[in-house]
Amino acid sequence: MESEFLYDLLQLPKEVAQPMEEELPRGGKKKYLSPNSKRNPKFEELQKVLMEWINATLLPEHIVVRSLEEDIFDGLILHHLFQKLSSLKLEVEEISLTSASQKRKLGVVLEAVNQSLQVEEQQAKWSVETIFNKDLLATLHLLVALAKRFQPDLPLPDNVRVEVIHIESTKTGLKSDKQVEQLTECNSHKDQPSQDAFDELFKLAPEKVHAVKEAIVSFVNQKLERLGLSVQSLDTQFADGVILLLLIGQLEGFFLHLKEFYLTPSSPTEMGLHNVTLALELLKDEGLFSYPINPEDIVNKDVKSTLRILYSLFRKHSLRAEGDGARHGTPN
C-alpha cells in the first residue's frame, strides 16, 4: 500500500509501478521523466527539431529516424551521424547484430564523440549504459551537445527544463526525490519580451483595466463556487498562492496533496512564495503562458502579473464553459 501511494504521489506511469520493486534491489537507483515533462510542448518540440535535423543530415544515406528512444540506442545511427558531422572515419563494424557487439560499437562511437566535444566521460550527462538502455533524457543531452558543437544555428527551443524523478531502494523501502534538469539554454532576449497586451492595457484609461478585472473576478468566482470560496479583490487575494492553486486544480483537473502546498500560509515570503512557484510550474507544464513571471511579483501583489496568470486560465476555459452564453473578449 505504501508503494502504491508513492506511485500515485509521483505520478509515475502505471507500467512502471508494478515491476519497480522487483527491478530495484536494495541500493538500486532509477530515474524517470515526470509525465508532465513528457507532455510539455517545448519538450516535444525539442525532440521534433532534433529528429528533423538528424534526418536531413542523413538523407543522402537514406536513413530515417522515427523515435529517438528506439533508433539511437544501438550506435548505428549515432555512428553515421557523427561521421557525417565530424568528417572522421571510425573503425567500427558497420552492422552489429548482437547486444554485446552493439554495446561495443556504441562505446567506440561515444568515446570519439566525447573527445570531439572535449567532455570527460565522468562529466558527460550520457554513458554507454544510459544510451543503450534507451534513456531518453541522456539521449537528448547527447544530441543537444552534438547540435551545439556542429550545428550552432539549429533553432532548438530555448530553456527546455524537465522534472526528473529519482527512485532509490533502501532497507526501509523506496525513497524518492525530484530534480529539474536543463536541456537547452535560456535565451534572455526571448524570455524577456518588452511588451505584451497587459503592458498596453495599463497604458489605457483606468476603466478599461477595471472592466477586465471585473470579467476575470466573475469568471474566478463561478469556478470557485463549488468550493464555497469567492474573490472580492483580485489585487490582494492571490498573493499567498492558495486560491490560485485551488483554481488551477478545479480548472485543469489536478489533485494537489495537502503536503505539496501550504493551505494556511503564515509567512508570505516563504510559504506564499512556495505556493505561487508551484502554481506557475503547473501552468507552464500545461503550456498556458510563455511570458516570464516572477513569483515574487505575485507575492508582492503586482496587479499586472496577477492579471497575466488569471487571464491565461480565463482565455482557455471561459469560452469553452460558456460557449452557448455570453462570450468574453480579450484585453484591447
Side-chain angles (χ1 to χ4, degrees):
M1 291 299 292
E2 222 174 278
S3 297
E4 289 177 14
F5 174 75
L6 179 64
Y7 304 142
D8 291 339
L9 188 62
L10 294 175
Q11 292 183 297
L12 288 176
K14 289 182 180 178
E15 61 270 19
V16 171
Q18 291 301 114
M20 186 185 292
E21 290 189 34
E22 289 80 358
E23 286 181 6
L24 278 182
R26 184 176 297 180
K29 297 179 182 179
K30 272 186 177 280
K31 65 179 184 178
Y32 304 90
L33 279 171
S34 74
N36 282 340
S37 290
K38 282 192 170 184
R39 292 192 297 265
N40 189 311
K42 290 181 75 171
F43 181 72
E44 293 175 346
E45 182 190 353
L46 176 62
Q47 294 179 75
K48 181 183 175 185
V49 171
L50 287 171
M51 276 196 286
E52 290 177 349
W53 169 59
I54 295 170
N55 288 336
T57 304
L58 299 180
L59 182 63
E61 299 181 43
H62 306 288
I63 292 175
V64 178
V65 172
R66 293 185 174 85
S67 166
L68 296 180
E69 287 174 286
E70 298 297 329
D71 295 343
I72 302 295
F73 82 98
D74 62 0
L76 174 63
I77 289 175
L78 195 58
H79 174 208
H80 283 266
L81 178 65
F82 180 69
Q83 286 196 150
K84 188 79 172 177
L85 294 172
S86 65
S87 301
L88 296 174
K89 179 70 175 175
L90 299 184
E91 295 301 325
V92 291
E93 52 192 312
E94 183 63 31
I95 303 295
S96 303
L97 298 178
T98 67
S99 293
S101 61
Q102 289 172 346
K103 211 167 184 179
R104 276 197 307 273
K105 176 175 181 172
L106 179 62
V108 173
V109 175
L110 286 183
E111 184 179 1
V113 167
N114 290 344
Q115 287 178 359
S116 178
L117 296 175
Q118 297 182 334
V119 175
E120 295 290 335
E121 185 178 348
Q122 296 80 3
Q123 298 174 332
K125 295 178 180 178
W126 54 85
S127 66
V128 173
E129 289 298 324
T130 55
I131 300 298
F132 193 74
N133 289 328
K134 304 179 183 180
D135 184 319
L136 179 58
L137 186 59
T139 302
L140 287 172
H141 276 304
L142 171 61
L143 294 175
V144 167
L146 284 170
K148 286 170 63 178
R149 166 70 174 83
F150 294 104
Q151 191 81 42
D153 59 342
L154 188 67
L156 298 175
D158 71 300
N159 198 27
V160 179
R161 302 168 56 185
V162 292
E163 186 179 63
V164 183
I165 301 165
H166 292 257
I167 306 292
E168 181 180 0
S169 178
T170 68
K171 60 183 179 181
T172 58
L174 293 176
K175 188 173 79 172
S176 68
D177 183 32
K178 290 184 180 181
Q179 296 176 9
V180 173
E181 288 196 30
Q182 194 89 22
L183 279 165
T184 63
E185 295 172 354
C186 178
N187 185 319
S188 58
H189 298 294
K190 286 184 180 179
D191 280 354
Q192 296 178 358
S194 57
Q195 297 283 307
D196 75 344
F198 286 96
D199 289 310
E200 297 300 320
L201 177 67
F202 274 71
K203 293 176 184 177
L204 302 175
E207 58 268 19
K208 289 273 189 181
V209 178
H210 181 70
V212 172
K213 287 166 69 174
E214 274 196 337
I216 292 180
V217 166
S218 174
F219 161 75
V220 168
N221 284 333
Q222 286 177 15
K223 305 306 174 185
L224 292 178
E225 188 176 9
R226 70 188 70 177
L227 298 179
L229 299 172
S230 67
V231 170
Q232 283 76 45
S233 172
L234 181 147
D235 297 16
T236 61
Q237 285 185 261
F238 291 91
D240 63 8
V242 175
I243 291 180
L244 182 57
L245 282 170
L246 294 173
L247 177 65
I248 293 170
Q250 282 287 301
L251 294 172
E252 297 295 319
F254 288 122
F255 171 74
L256 294 171
H257 197 281
L258 291 178
K259 292 182 179 179
E260 294 185 47
F261 71 105
Y262 297 101
L263 188 59
T264 55
S266 57
S267 168
T269 54
E270 294 180 11
M271 300 177 183
L273 190 59
H274 171 90
N275 287 350
V276 172
T277 301
L278 175 59
L280 290 177
E281 287 174 354
L282 291 173
L283 289 174
K284 286 178 182 176
D285 285 344
E286 293 301 302
L288 282 179
F289 68 94
S290 57
Y291 196 100
I293 293 177
N294 193 333
E296 285 90 347
D297 290 340
I298 306 298
V299 174
N300 294 327
K301 303 174 185 177
D302 180 76
V303 179
K304 194 187 297 184
S305 296
T306 304
L307 269 176
R308 282 191 177 107
I309 290 178
L310 295 175
Y311 180 69
S312 68
L313 291 163
F314 173 83
R315 181 178 55 191
K316 177 178 178 180
H317 293 279
S318 65
L319 295 182
R320 178 191 300 172
E322 302 171 14
D324 54 351
R327 292 178 176 263
H328 297 289
T330 60
N332 53 62

